[in-house]
Amino acid sequence: MTATAPAPAPETDADERLVRTSPLRRLLGRPELGSVVGAVAVFVFFAVVADSFLRASSLSTVLYAASTIGIMAVPVALLMIGGEFDLSAGVMVTSSALISSMFSYQMTTNVWVGVLVSLVVTLAIGAFNGFMLTRTKLPSFIITLGTFLMLTGMNLGLTKFISGTVSTKSISDMEGFSSAKDVFASVVTIGGVDYKITILWWFALVAVASWILLRTRVGNWIFAVGGNKDAARAVGVPVNRTKIGLYMGVAFAAWISGQHLLFSFDVVQSGEGVGKELIYIIAAVIGGCLITGGYGSAVGSAVGAFIFGMTDKGIVFAEWNPDWFKFFLGAMLLLATLLNAWVRKRAEATK
């Protein structure tokens, strides 16, 4: 009796990764599509209502405002893609600046020593958040809320104990200050227009984060743990290390932002940073990140931050009452979330 050869599998059973998709389907599948549409709408709106909005100097101001949010929004977006939050991100920026300033001043050492000490301590705070999350299994909301409260109290308490006031002492005349300011708070002139160096830091972080998410194994791990951490662990993804690394990424960005804060203004107020963590999260959500994790992009967070910058400064250029900023912020959050949900449904419908 001759065995019958099995019939070849139908062509439709081919690996879905090898199936060609239309440009429209790929476009609809991009997490940042909704935020890009929103950014174009906001740009056109303020270009019409504010005569000075399209000036090169105004663009520089908008980009600077966006960069101060975007530097933090990038790692916060990666953390959200990984399925977690960090409510301590805002005050961690202030902690980073305070550590650099007070260590340098009290130890009368080169400012760069304080900067490096701040980096080590800030990364340790991020690692602490990740370690506590993975060990206790408590929600990241609870863990980072606790860190937020501890850092808020510590920033104020230690600053008053060491400096005697709620702000740090001036370190502008100390060795290394000018070179550190060149790195973290200098101005680059292009075409006669001044641009803050934070814009370059922001663009660099977006590029690195996008490369990690889309071109590396770590990026696959981030999406996997955010989508289903138990399934990810079952296939060998190092869930705990990935989450700790994401929290340390947020801490690294907080260090950059903190050094910019310090070297821009010379002194630091210990009460700054409270409430900023929500702005970073909102920028990531506007950029297409899901609250539930497993979906989003670094580019989307940059677009979300850019929308923030345009709205913040556009209201000023239009000579409106800046008290309305929070209203527009809430409206943008709702509209962006609805638009992102609609885009995802359309993308799923085309599959």
Side-chain angles (χ1 to χ4, degrees):
M1 181 175 179
T2 304
T4 304
E11 190 173 327
T12 56
D13 289 343
D15 190 335
E16 63 178 5
R17 294 172 297 180
L18 304 179
V19 177
R20 292 185 177 180
T21 57
S22 67
L24 177 61
R25 181 182 298 180
R26 290 197 298 270
L27 179 63
L28 289 175
R30 295 300 306 166
E32 64 273 8
L33 176 61
S35 61
V36 170
V37 173
V40 172
V42 172
F43 182 87
V44 172
F45 175 75
F46 282 113
V48 172
V49 302
D51 295 335
S52 60
F53 186 75
L54 294 179
R55 296 175 184 170
S57 58
S58 299
L59 177 60
S60 169
T61 303
V62 168
L63 285 174
Y64 173 60
S67 69
T68 57
I69 298 170
I71 287 174
M72 290 300 299
V74 170
V76 167
L78 264 63
L79 182 63
M80 291 181 65
I81 294 171
E84 306 296 346
F85 292 97
D86 191 346
L87 298 180
S88 66
V91 293
M92 199 187 306
V93 171
T94 306
S95 298
S96 170
L98 290 171
I99 293 168
S100 294
S101 179
M102 289 192 291
F103 187 91
S104 299
Y105 186 86
Q106 295 299 321
M107 298 299 175
T108 61
T109 184
N110 189 296
V111 168
W112 277 105
V113 177
V115 170
L116 294 177
V117 169
S118 174
L119 174 60
V120 173
V121 175
T122 308
L123 288 177
I125 295 172
F128 171 80
N129 280 337
F131 178 80
M132 291 296 293
L133 176 79
T134 56
R135 289 297 180 181
T136 65
K137 309 301 181 184
L138 290 173
S140 56
F141 176 86
I142 299 298
I143 296 294
T144 58
L145 178 59
T147 307
F148 162 81
L149 294 173
M150 289 189 292
L151 289 179
T152 302
M154 190 163 58
N155 288 349
L156 179 60
L158 286 180
T159 303
K160 291 184 70 175
F161 176 76
I162 295 174
S163 302
T165 63
V166 296
S167 64
T168 60
K169 304 294 185 181
S170 174
I171 61 171
S172 60
D173 59 347
M174 296 186 66
E175 183 181 0
F177 182 88
S178 59
S179 60
K181 185 172 183 177
D182 289 340
V183 174
F184 296 106
S186 61
V187 175
V188 179
T189 302
I190 302 176
V193 180
D194 292 338
Y195 296 91
K196 291 294 185 73
I197 199 170
T198 50
I199 299 172
L200 299 180
W201 276 105
W202 177 34
F203 289 168
L205 287 175
V206 172
V208 172
S210 297
W211 174 74
I212 291 174
L213 280 178
L214 303 177
R215 293 289 183 267
T216 70
R217 183 172 56 178
V218 174
N220 293 334
W221 292 348
I222 294 172
F223 281 109
V225 299
N228 189 324
K229 64 180 180 181
D230 294 327
R233 184 177 285 109
V235 297
V237 173
V239 174
N240 291 351
R241 280 190 292 155
T242 300
K243 289 184 180 290
I244 292 174
L246 288 172
Y247 275 104
M248 292 182 71
V250 174
F252 178 74
W255 172 74
I256 295 174
S257 296
Q259 305 318 296
H260 172 69
L261 177 66
L262 171 61
F263 295 107
S264 292
F265 303 104
D266 183 18
V267 297
V268 183
Q269 297 291 328
S270 59
E272 293 185 17
V274 176
K276 290 293 185 68
E277 63 283 339
L278 295 180
I279 293 180
Y280 306 146
I281 293 173
I282 292 171
V285 172
I286 290 176
C289 291
L290 291 182
I291 299 293
T292 53
Y295 189 81
S297 71
V299 173
S301 73
V303 178
F306 186 54
I307 291 175
F308 264 77
M310 287 192 293
T311 304
D312 185 17
K313 300 307 176 184
I315 289 175
V316 176
F317 295 144
E319 299 181 352
W320 295 346
N321 188 339
D323 293 340
W324 286 94
F325 172 68
K326 291 293 180 67
F327 171 83
F328 283 102
L329 189 61
M332 284 190 301
L333 174 62
L334 291 176
L335 291 174
T337 303
L338 292 173
L339 182 59
N340 289 335
W342 179 82
V343 168
R344 288 196 71 213
K345 289 181 180 179
R346 294 288 298 176
E348 292 171 355
T350 59
K351 291 182 180 179

